[in-house]
C-alpha cells in the first residue's frame, strides 16, 4: 500500500502539486488530467526521480526516501516516450534492465517469459532500433515487469500508438494487474475507462475527484446534453459550453454538451461517459 | 560488473564513434608520415637517407675510432668544399661534398655533445658542491636540500653510446594525436550521462535499485577503459609510425642522452620513459574524461557538453601555455600538463618546487595533484548522479 500524504511540489515559485493526499492499494488506478495538471510531477515523485517540497510518500508505512532500495525493488516503471538503446537487442536490453534493477539468479527464463507475454518472443534477437512504436511500448512493459514488481507505474503509455496497439496495451495492463498496484497516468480518457478500478482526476496540481469510473459518471448525472443546432449556431455553443462531441449530419450538428445547466430548452439529457466527466471537472470552468 | 560491461557495450556499439576513431587513426598515421618521414617524397628525402647512412658508421657504443672517423670525414669534406676539387662524387653519401660536409657537421656536433656530456656532469657536480657550501654558509636549508637532490639525481650520469637521439624529440613532442584523442573523448563522453536525459532513460535509472551510484561507477569505469583503449591505439600508431618513418632506435640508452632531455630529472631508459609518458598522458586524459563526465552530469543536451568540454579544453590549453605567477601554481593541477608530459621532464631549472623546505620535482607534484583533482571530480560526478541529477528533471 502506498500512502501519499500532503505532497506539495514547487518548481521555483510555481506550484506544480498542491497538498495532495491519496492511498493506493491493489488494482488499476487511472491518473487522469489535462497536460500540465501535475501528473508527471506526481509520477516522478513516486518513482523517486524528484523530491517533493513538502509531505511524504509512505510504502509499508515507511517513507520511500528512507528505504529507497526496498521500495525500488518493488517498483516497475515505464516513462513517457522513452528511447531505449537502439543498438541493443530486446534480450540484451532486458538483461541490462535486470542488472539495473538488481535482479539476480537465472534471468534467461524470465526474459523469455516476459517477451512471450508481450508478444515479442520472435524479436528476441532483433535490435530495438528496428522496433515499431507499439513494439517499443511492449518492450517497455517487459522491462517494467522484469523485477516482478508490486507497484507498476506507466506514464502516458499509449501516446502515439495506433488504435490496435492501444487495445493490445490495455489488455496487457489488465493481465498484469493481479495482486499489484498499477498506476496509469494519461490524458487519453478511453485508456482508463474500461480497465481502471479507480480514476484519480487531477487539474492544476490538485486532485479534483477520486472514485470508480461508474461513480464518477453518476456524479455528473443530469449534466450531459444532446442538442441539435444549425451550422450558423455552432460557434456560439462552442464558445459558451464544453462540447465533448460534435457530429455533423448534412446542414445540422449534433452536439454533446457538458453543462450543469440545460443549454437550450430542446436539449435532451444523456447518460454521462468518462470523457464527459473529464470535461466537467477539467474543462472550461 | 554487469552494468560496467553494458556501459562499455553502449560506447563500443556507436557506429559513428568507431568510424571516427578509424578515420582519425588513419589521419594521425598520414600526418606523421607526411611530416616526419625520412623517406617521404620531398626535397629533404635524399638528405635524410644520406644522414641515416652516415649514422650507421657511428651508431652504437661511443669509441675513439668512431669519433676520429666522423672528425676526419668532416675535415675531408670541408677541405674539398674549400678547395673546389672533385666536388661531385657518387661515393659521397649525398653525392656531393657540400651535402656531406653539412651532414657530417651535424653528426660531429652530436658526437661532441655526447662526448662532452660526462665532463659537463662533472662540472655540474663541482658547481653543486660549491652551491651547497654557499647555501650552508647562508643558513638556507632548502637550497642545501636542492643541492643534495641535484647531486643525487645527476651525479652518476654518463652517456656511452651514439644513437639517432634527435629523432626522439619530435616523437615525444608530437601532440596532434593527443588533440585527436580529445576529439574522440568529447564525442564519446558528451552523451555519457546527458544522453540518458535525452532518451528518457534517466527516469528508468532513478526508479531502479542500481540506477544511481552503481550506474555512476559503471559509466566512469567504462569511460576509463574506453580512454585507455583509445590511448593505447593512438600511442601504438604514433610509436610504430615514428619507428618506421623516423628511424627511432637506441631504446636502451638513458633518456638524458637525448639533447632536449640532457638535464631531465629522470634516470630511466628511453624505453621506460616511453611507458612512463604513456601513463602520465593517460592520467591527463582520464582527468579530462572526468571533466567531460561532470559536464555530462550537469547539462541536459549532449551538444552542450561537447561545446563546453571543447571550450574548457582550450581554456586549459591556454592556461598551460601562458600561466605565470600564482596562476602557474594553480596550473599544477592542469591535466593538459600531463598530456604534454614531455615538457615536465625535459629540464630541471623550473621543475623543482619548495614544499616545507623540501625540494620536490614539479612533475611528481603535478601527478599527485592531478590524481587528487581527478578523485574530486569523480566523487562529484557520483554524487550528482546519486542525488542532484534528479533536480534537473521537470
Amino acid at each position: 500500500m502506498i500512502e501519499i500524504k500532503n505532497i506539495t511540489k514547487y518548481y521555483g515559485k510555481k506550484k506544480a502539486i498542491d497538498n495532495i493526499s491519496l492511498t493506493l492499494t491493489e488494482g488499476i488506478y487511472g491518473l487522469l488530467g489535462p497536460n500540465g495538471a501535475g501528473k508527471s510531477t506526481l509520477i516522478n515523485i513516486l518513482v523517486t526521480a524528484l523530491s517533493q517540497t513538502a509531505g511524504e510518500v509512505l510504502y509499508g508505512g515507511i517513507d520511500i526516501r528512507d528505504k529507497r532500495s526496498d521500495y525500488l525493488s518493488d517498483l516497475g516503471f515505464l516513462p513517457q516516450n522513452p528511447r531505449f538503446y537502439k543498438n541493443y537487442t530486446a534480450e540484451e536490453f532486458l538483461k541490462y534492465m535486470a542488472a539495473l534493477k538488481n535482479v539476480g539468479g537465472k534471468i534467461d527464463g524470465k526474459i523469455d517469459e516476459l517477451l512471450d507475454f508481450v508478444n515479442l518472443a520472435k524479436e528476441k534477437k532483433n535490435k530495438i532500433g528496428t522496433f515499431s512504436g507499439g513494439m517499443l511500448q511492449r518492450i517497455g512493459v517487459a522491462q517494467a515487469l522484469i523485477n516482478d514488481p508490486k507497484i507498476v507505474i506507466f506514464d502516458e503509455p499509449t501516446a502515439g500508438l495506433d488504435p490496435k496497439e492501444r487495445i493490445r496495451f490495455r489488455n496487457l495492463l489488465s493481465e498484469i494487474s493481479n495482486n499489484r498496484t498499477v498506476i496509469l497516468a494519461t490524458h487519453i480518457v478511453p485508456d482508463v475507462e474500461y480497465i481502471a478500478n479507480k480514476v484519480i482526476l487531477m487539474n492544476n496540481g490538485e486532485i479534483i475527484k477520486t472514485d470508480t469510473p461508474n461513480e464518477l459518471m453518476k456524479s455528473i448525472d443530469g449534466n450531459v446534453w444532446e442538442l441539435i443546432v444549425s451550422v450558423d449556431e455552432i460557434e456560439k455553443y462552442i464558445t459558451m459550453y464544453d462540447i465533448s462531441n460534435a457530429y455533423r449530419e448534412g446542414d445540422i450538428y449534433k452536439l454533446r454538451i457538458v453543462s450543469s445547466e440545460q443549454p437550450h430548452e430542446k436539449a435532451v439529457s444523456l447518460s454521462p461517459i468518462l470523457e464527459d466527466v473529464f470535461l466537467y471537472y477539467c474543462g472550461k470552468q | 560488473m554487469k552494468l560496467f560491461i553494458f556501459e562499455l557495450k553502449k560506447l563500443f556499439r556507436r557506429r559513428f564513434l568507431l568510424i571516427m576513431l578509424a578515420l582519425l587513426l588513419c589521419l594521425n598515421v598520414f600526418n606523421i608520415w607526411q611530416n616526419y618521414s625520412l623517406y617521404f617524397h620531398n626535397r629533404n628525402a635524399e638528405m635524410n637517407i644520406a644522414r641515416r647512412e652516415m649514422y650507421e658508421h657511428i651508431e652504437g657504443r661511443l669509441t675513439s675510432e668512431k669519433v676520429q672517423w666522423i672528425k676526419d670525414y668532416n675535415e675531408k669534406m670541408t677541405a674539398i668544399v674549400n678547395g673546389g676539387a672533385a666536388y661531385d662524387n657518387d661515393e659521397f653519401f649525398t653525392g656531393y661534398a657540400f651535402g656531406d660536409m653539412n651532414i657530417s657537421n651535424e653528426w660531429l656536433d652530436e658526437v661532441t655533445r655526447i662526448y662532452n656530456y660526462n665532463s659537463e656532469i662533472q662540472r655540474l657536480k663541482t658547481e653543486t658542491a660549491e652551491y651547497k657550501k654557499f647555501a650552508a654558509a647562508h643558513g638556507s636549508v632548502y637550497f642545501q636540500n636542492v643541492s643534495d637532490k641535484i647531486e643525487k639525481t645527476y651525479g652518476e650520469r654518463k652517456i656511452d653510446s651514439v644513437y639517432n637521439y634527435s629523432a626522439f624529440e619530435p616523437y615525444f613532442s608530437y601532440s596532434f594525436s593527443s588533440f585527436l584523442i580529445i576529439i574522440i573523448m568529447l564525442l564519446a563522453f558528451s552523451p555519457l550521462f546527458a544522453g540518458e536525459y535525452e532518451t528518457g532513460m534517466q527516469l528508468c535509472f532513478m526508479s531502479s535499485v542500481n540506477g544511481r551510484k552503481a550506474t555512476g561507477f559503471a559509466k566512469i569505469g567504462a569511460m576509463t577503459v574506453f580512454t585507455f583503449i583509445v590511448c593505447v591505439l593512438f600511442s601504438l600508431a604514433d610509436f610504430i609510425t615514428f619507428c618506421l618513418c623516423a628511424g627511432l632506435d637506441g631504446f636502451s640508452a638513458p633518456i638524458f642522452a637525448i639533447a632536449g632531455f640532457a638535464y631531465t630529472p629522470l634516470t630511466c631508459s628511453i624505453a621506460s620513459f616511453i611507458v612512463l609518458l604513456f601513463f602520465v598522458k593517460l592520467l591527463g586524459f582520464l582527468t579530462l574524461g572526468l571533466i567531460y563526465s561532470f559536464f555530462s552530469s550537469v547539462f541536459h543536451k549532449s551538444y552542450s557538453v561537447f561545446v563546453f568540454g571543447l571550450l574548457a579544453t582550450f581554456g586549459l590549453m591556454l592556461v598551460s601555455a601562458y600561466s605565470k605567477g600564482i596562476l602557474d601554481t594553480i596550473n599544477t593541477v592542469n591535466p593538459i600538463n600531463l598530456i604534454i608530459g614531455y615538457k615536465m621532464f625535459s629540464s630541471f631549472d623550473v621543475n623543482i618546487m619548495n614544499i616545507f623546505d623540501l625540494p620536490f620535482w614539479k612533475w611528481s607534484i603535478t601527478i599527485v595533484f592531478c590524481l587528487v583533482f581527478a578523485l574530486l571530480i569523480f566523487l562529484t560526478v557520483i554524487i550528482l548522479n546519486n542525488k542532484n541529477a534528479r533536480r534537473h528533471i521537470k
Side-chain angles (χ1 to χ4, degrees):
Chain A
M1 185 172 76
I2 304 173
E3 289 173 85
I4 298 167
K5 285 188 170 177
N6 310 109
I7 290 286
T8 299
K9 174 69 187 175
Y10 279 95
Y11 290 122
K13 287 181 179 174
K14 193 185 170 229
K15 196 185 267 186
I17 288 184
D18 187 7
N19 198 30
I20 281 179
S21 292
L22 201 61
T23 302
L24 305 167
T25 54
E26 281 175 13
I28 301 179
Y29 290 84
L31 184 57
L32 205 58
N35 290 329
K39 303 185 301 289
S40 287
T41 300
L42 179 62
I43 293 292
N44 284 338
I45 290 171
L46 286 177
V47 301
T48 75
L50 266 183
S51 290
Q52 61 271 30
T53 311
E56 55 186 357
V57 181
L58 305 178
Y59 177 60
I62 301 167
D63 193 315
I64 58 172
R65 289 172 299 186
D66 295 338
K67 286 248 177 183
R68 191 161 59 194
S69 286
D70 291 349
Y71 171 67
L72 293 180
S73 297
D74 284 343
L75 179 73
F77 176 49
L78 174 61
Q80 190 176 350
N81 299 324
R83 281 181 283 146
F84 300 131
Y85 309 113
K86 58 184 180 182
N87 288 329
Y88 276 11
T89 63
E91 183 187 25
E92 281 173 329
F93 175 65
L94 289 181
K95 279 185 178 174
Y96 176 58
M97 292 311 295
L100 264 183
K101 288 166 183 281
N102 204 25
V103 180
K106 287 181 182 173
I107 194 70
D108 292 350
K110 176 82 183 166
I111 286 171
D112 287 343
E113 195 182 301
L114 276 171
L115 285 173
D116 199 36
F117 174 63
V118 296
N119 202 19
L120 286 174
K122 286 180 187 167
E123 314 295 332
K124 184 179 169 180
K125 300 285 179 193
N126 289 349
K127 292 214 168 149
I128 288 178
T130 63
F131 283 15
S132 67
M135 288 156 86
L136 282 174
Q137 283 306 75
R138 280 184 272 145
I139 195 79
V141 173
Q143 67 79 28
L145 299 176
I146 194 84
N147 56 332
D148 204 10
K150 292 185 179 124
I151 309 150
V152 191
I153 300 175
F154 298 106
D155 192 6
E156 302 283 2
T158 58
L161 294 189
D162 62 39
K164 192 179 161 191
E165 283 290 351
R166 276 170 61 188
I167 291 165
R168 199 202 291 247
F169 184 82
R170 276 184 229 157
N171 293 339
L172 275 179
L173 218 64
S174 298
E175 284 182 56
I176 63 168
S177 64
N178 277 345
N179 304 318
R180 284 191 174 109
T181 304
V182 179
I183 303 167
L184 173 65
T186 184
H187 64 279
I188 302 168
V189 182
D191 281 351
V192 297
E193 189 160 14
Y194 304 108
I195 55 167
N197 304 107
K198 263 192 173 180
V199 173
I200 304 157
L201 264 178
M202 275 189 86
N203 201 11
N204 297 323
E206 293 175 359
I207 291 179
I208 309 289
K209 202 90 176 167
T210 307
D211 219 325
T212 61
N214 280 339
E215 287 303 315
L216 282 174
M217 287 187 273
K218 271 187 199 167
S219 73
I220 63 159
D221 251 347
N223 291 300
V224 184
W225 311 89
E226 185 179 74
L227 180 63
I228 296 170
V229 296
S230 65
V231 175
D232 301 339
E233 290 173 302
I234 190 164
E235 196 60 40
K236 180 180 113 185
Y237 284 97
I238 286 174
T239 316
M240 286 175 67
Y241 298 103
D242 288 318
I243 311 289
S244 70
N245 199 12
Y247 178 69
R248 185 169 183 163
E249 278 182 356
D251 288 341
I252 56 153
Y253 271 96
K254 265 188 186 174
L255 300 182
R256 189 179 177 95
I257 298 172
V258 179
S259 169
S260 49
E261 59 186 49
Q262 190 176 15
H264 191 276
E265 59 191 19
K266 287 182 182 171
V268 182
S269 181
L270 294 176
S271 296
I273 59 171
L274 203 56
E275 278 187 339
D276 301 325
V277 176
F278 182 78
L279 265 186
Y280 185 81
Y281 290 110
C282 307
K284 282 198 176 83
Q285 63 274 43
Chain B
M1 193 63 189
K2 278 182 191 170
L3 281 177
F4 164 71
I5 289 165
F6 279 114
E7 289 299 334
L8 261 186
K9 275 186 187 173
K10 278 188 210 171
L11 280 170
F12 282 101
R13 284 197 184 171
R14 285 169 58 196
R15 196 177 296 167
F16 170 72
L17 196 60
L18 297 181
I19 291 170
M20 280 301 287
L21 181 60
L23 283 177
L24 295 185
L25 268 170
C26 293
L27 177 67
N28 183 44
V29 169
F30 177 73
N31 182 57
I32 298 170
W33 175 253
Q34 191 186 33
N35 291 305
Y36 302 98
S37 173
L38 298 176
Y39 315 106
F40 190 73
H41 294 292
N42 58 29
R43 57 187 174 176
N44 293 323
E46 283 181 8
M47 289 290 278
N48 287 332
I49 293 165
R51 191 179 283 115
R52 184 81 194 171
E53 285 170 357
M54 198 180 290
Y55 160 69
E56 284 163 10
H57 284 263
I58 53 171
E59 177 190 4
R61 181 165 284 278
L62 186 63
T63 60
S64 51
E65 288 83 14
K66 285 178 183 173
V67 176
Q68 200 56 49
W69 181 86
I70 189 70
K71 210 173 162 186
D72 290 348
Y73 191 76
N74 179 253
E75 280 171 6
K76 186 178 157 189
M77 290 300 115
T78 308
I80 292 170
V81 169
N82 291 339
Y87 196 82
D88 293 328
N89 191 326
D90 285 346
E91 288 176 10
F92 294 164
F93 291 96
T94 56
Y96 57 104
F98 186 74
D100 274 28
M101 183 189 75
N102 284 336
I103 294 174
S104 59
N105 261 337
E106 287 173 25
W107 282 119
L108 185 61
D109 287 347
E110 178 68 351
V111 167
T112 310
R113 181 187 71 80
I114 293 166
Y115 190 78
N116 290 338
Y117 184 79
N118 300 346
S119 54
E120 277 294 308
I121 288 296
Q122 286 310 311
R123 187 184 57 78
L124 180 72
K125 264 176 94 172
T126 314
E127 282 180 8
T128 305
E130 284 171 15
Y131 186 67
K132 191 179 174 185
K133 275 185 203 165
F134 179 79
H138 288 79
S140 171
V141 177
Y142 171 66
F143 286 112
Q144 286 181 73
N145 288 336
V146 169
S147 304
D148 288 340
K149 199 166 186 71
I150 291 171
E151 164 76 33
K152 196 177 166 191
T153 309
Y154 298 93
E156 303 304 318
R157 284 187 176 183
K158 61 177 184 179
I159 308 171
D160 56 10
S161 304
V162 179
Y163 287 105
N164 186 18
Y165 297 126
S166 61
F168 281 101
E169 297 206 28
Y171 168 63
F172 287 135
S173 61
Y174 179 70
S175 53
F176 184 63
S177 57
S178 299
F179 175 71
L180 298 180
I181 291 173
I182 287 171
I183 296 292
I184 288 288
M185 286 174 67
L186 273 167
L187 289 172
F189 306 141
S190 293
L192 196 67
F193 292 97
E196 308 292 2
Y197 284 108
E198 289 172 309
T199 57
M201 280 303 290
Q202 181 67 18
L203 282 171
C204 286
F205 291 157
M206 290 292 146
S207 61
S208 301
V209 177
N210 290 332
R212 293 163 196 254
K213 208 182 287 177
T215 297
F217 277 110
K219 281 184 180 290
I220 297 297
M223 184 276 288
T224 305
V225 170
F226 186 86
T227 305
F228 177 79
I229 291 170
V230 170
C231 283
V232 165
L233 287 175
F234 275 92
S235 297
L236 279 177
D238 286 357
F239 181 73
I240 293 168
T241 319
F242 265 100
C243 276
L244 293 174
C245 294
L248 300 183
D249 57 4
F251 294 102
S252 59
I255 181 68
F256 49 78
I258 300 167
F261 290 80
Y263 296 103
T264 174
L266 299 175
T267 49
C268 59
S269 67
I270 293 174
S272 306
F273 181 71
I274 290 170
V275 176
L276 172 74
L277 201 59
F278 169 77
F279 282 105
V280 168
K281 277 186 178 184
L282 180 65
L283 177 60
F285 284 121
L286 284 176
T287 311
L288 269 189
L290 283 166
I291 292 172
Y292 302 152
S293 304
F294 167 75
F295 286 142
S296 193
S297 302
V298 174
F299 294 114
H300 287 219
K301 299 284 181 193
S302 298
Y303 66 79
S304 310
V305 181
F306 186 89
V307 171
F308 274 84
L310 201 60
L311 289 175
T313 308
F314 282 131
L316 290 170
M317 284 176 180
L318 286 175
V319 171
S320 173
Y322 299 110
S323 66
K324 280 179 183 171
I326 187 74
L327 260 182
D328 198 39
T329 312
I330 297 167
N331 193 31
T332 309
V333 295
N334 190 342
I336 297 294
N337 289 337
L338 299 182
I339 291 169
I340 49 167
Y342 72 97
K343 280 190 179 174
M344 290 195 306
F345 300 109
S346 55
S347 64
F348 77 88
D349 55 339
V350 291
N351 271 342
I352 292 179
M353 286 184 86
N354 180 356
I355 297 176
F356 302 117
D357 272 349
L358 288 172
F360 283 91
W361 295 117
K362 196 174 173 183
W363 67 266
S364 59
I365 301 296
T366 303
I367 286 174
V368 170
F369 277 20
C370 268
L371 272 171
V372 173
F373 182 53
L375 187 68
L376 285 175
I377 309 172
F378 169 71
L379 290 174
T380 310
V381 172
I382 294 295
I383 290 167
L384 276 176
N385 201 43
N386 196 37
K387 290 181 179 177
N388 296 15
R390 282 178 287 157
R391 294 176 192 163
H392 298 285
I393 305 162
K394 279 191 179 180

